[in-house]
Amino acid sequence: MSTTRSTIAELSGHAGEEVELLAWVRNFRSSGKIAFLILRDGTSLPDGTPEVQAVVSRGDVDEESWEAANAAHYEASVRVRGQVRADARAPGGYELSVRELRVLGPSADYPIQPKEHGPEFLHDHRHLWLRHPRQVAILRIRDEVEKAIRDFFYDRHFTLIDTPILTGSIGEEAGELFETEYFDLGTAYLAQTGQLYVEAAAAALGNVYCFGPTFRAEKSKTRRHLTEFWMVEPEMAWTDSEGNMAVQEAFVAFIVGRVLERGRAELDVLERDVSKLEAVTPPFDRMSYTETVEYLRGKGSAITWGEDLGGEDQTLLTEDRPKPVFVYDFPKEAKAFYMKENPEDPRTVKCDDLYAPEGFGEVIGGSQREDDFDRLLARIREEGLPEEAYGWYLDLRRYGTFPHSGFGLGLERTVGWMCGVPHIREVIPFPRTINRLTP
Ligand code: 4AD
Ligand code: MG
């Protein structure tokens, strides 16, 4: 008779029955006549506990099983047959009484041991470190955030537009491009943004968004920078800067709400203070750039009018703040060429950055786009951008120009904030930074 195969998640439906579980050994201990294995398989018990205890009693199992239980290694893969027992005292409410244990893949000298390892060591072993309960919880939250992003826009009838990764035009900063040779066509760049393309799509479909990996050859070694990161970029026709901020506020509140609703067990594993997330309800704070500079100087920053907010300014601005804060209408020279000149103060542009609380910093950059052909062309020339590469982008102002706005939300910055993880390289499965290309 074959034994029913079960995952940890399915055990609760098999109380009292014998099942077969395929899993990895997360922990073990033995005391003479009885051995305990903590097993994980990537699923969770009904209360969210991502592991189950398997109890091996010497008298109940064959010799091979008993030896295997006593020679267990971290992260060995095993096949266990045994009876599922509902037990209120067991973590997660269920336990396995083992009848047979077989090691499928031994794991002698597993490199990650239950002791302090430095971050570089852990990142060198990222392919194995992913199995740690904290990392599993982070990846689950990331998945929830991605699903929330897609649901938010799908439910509001935004059309998903997949934009190219190989591009011929510079989206953001000329100095931060990865280049590659492209046949007879010269240099191609890895996309820094999908924005210019979703602007074209907005004239076709109204409200659209792209969501994918983007690349920045930034020489920043900060806790907030990756060279490859994921960004979601909505673009909305007939929407001004005010309307843009209203969508950003609703969007961020939606993501936070979803993580609180569906990610409780993972937030528990991460020991995240959920009251900090529960406080993130609209309306968010709003400050003009000029007010923000005064505020920061009052807190000891050396920022002067005209500069973008640096990492330390972002921390200063948000460390004591329970809610996210919008800073709007930045100086032209601090921001990208495509932002719309502010008719009320032409030294500034109609844009906003949204900064997350607790010191997490900028999660969104957004703006109303320059929709006037002559002004946009002048800005392209001022920035010294290659005009010929922007012919198609200027066409959007030549043929049926329209007020439109959009923004980019950084996925890793958002997930780091949700998880309470300060360094964003820990929230992407395989981070790419200035000094890391493997694993
Ligand atoms: O402010 P950024 O550069 O804006 C844009 O790229 C616009 N084209 C967006 C748009 O309007 N469609 O980037 C947007 C967000 C930042 O707020 C930040 O969250 C994230 O992307 N980001 C990074 N995340 C990780 N590593 C980096 N190097 C990042 N650079 C930006
Ligand atoms: Mg920005």
Side-chain angles (χ1 to χ4, degrees), residues 172 192-193 195 216 218 224-227 229 231 233-235 338 353 362-367 369 406-410 412-413 424:
E172 294 289 321
Q192 294 176 317
T193 170
Q195 180 195 318
R216 306 260 168 114
E218 279 179 286
R224 300 190 180 108
H225 288 90
L226 296 166
T227 53
F229 65 97
M231 179 161 55
E233 296 182 273
E235 193 69 32
Y338 51 71
D353 278 358
E362 183 192 329
V363 286
I364 284 182
S367 62
R369 319 308 189 185
F407 63 91
L409 172 129
E412 289 76 18
R413 301 234 186 129
I424 65 168

Side-chain angles (χ1 to χ4, degrees), residues 102-285:
R102 293 290 179 265
V103 174
L104 305 179
S107 178
D109 307 320
Y110 186 69
I112 303 176
Q113 293 289 315
K115 61 167 193 175
E116 273 299 303
H117 291 289
E120 287 309 319
F121 178 88
L122 290 171
H123 278 285
D124 285 343
H125 294 86
R126 183 64 171 167
H127 50 294
L128 301 175
W129 187 31
L130 284 184
R131 304 178 188 191
H132 191 276
R134 261 186 71 85
Q135 301 307 314
V136 168
I138 290 170
L139 293 176
R140 287 243 176 80
I141 300 271
R142 181 180 170 108
D143 180 44
E144 286 299 349
V145 171
E146 293 203 39
K147 172 84 168 111
I149 287 170
R150 295 193 189 284
D151 285 351
F152 181 88
F153 290 115
Y154 186 87
D155 291 349
R156 284 160 187 76
H157 307 290
F158 282 59
T159 304
L160 175 65
I161 301 295
D162 297 319
T163 53
I165 286 174
L166 288 167
T167 68
S169 40
I170 301 158
E172 294 289 321
E173 276 288 328
E176 298 171 356
L177 289 162
F178 286 108
E179 299 183 359
T180 180
E181 269 175 55
Y182 198 78
F183 307 105
D184 295 333
L185 297 181
T187 305
Y189 307 109
L190 297 187
Q192 294 176 317
T193 170
Q195 180 195 318
L196 309 193
Y197 298 98
V198 284
E199 284 188 54
L205 293 136
N207 289 342
V208 297
Y209 74 105
C210 63
F211 188 16
T214 44
F215 306 86
R216 306 260 168 114
E218 279 179 286
K219 297 215 166 61
S220 325
K221 284 190 191 161
T222 82
R223 64 188 178 92
R224 300 190 180 108
H225 288 90
L226 296 166
T227 53
E228 176 176 327
F229 65 97
W230 282 61
M231 179 161 55
V232 53
E233 296 182 273
E235 193 69 32
M236 297 163 281
W238 315 112
T239 300
D240 65 7
S241 193
E242 273 300 311
N244 195 19
M245 284 190 265
V247 174
Q248 291 166 43
E249 190 173 78
F251 179 48
V252 168
F254 180 84
I255 293 172
V256 174
R258 189 55 91 68
V259 168
L260 284 169
E261 179 194 323
R262 300 192 185 174
R264 281 291 165 156
E266 288 75 19
L267 294 174
D268 267 3
V269 170
L270 297 168
E271 295 173 335
R272 180 70 167 115
D273 179 352
V274 291
S275 72
K276 295 274 178 12
L277 296 178
E278 283 161 353
V280 181
T281 51
F284 300 163
D285 300 332

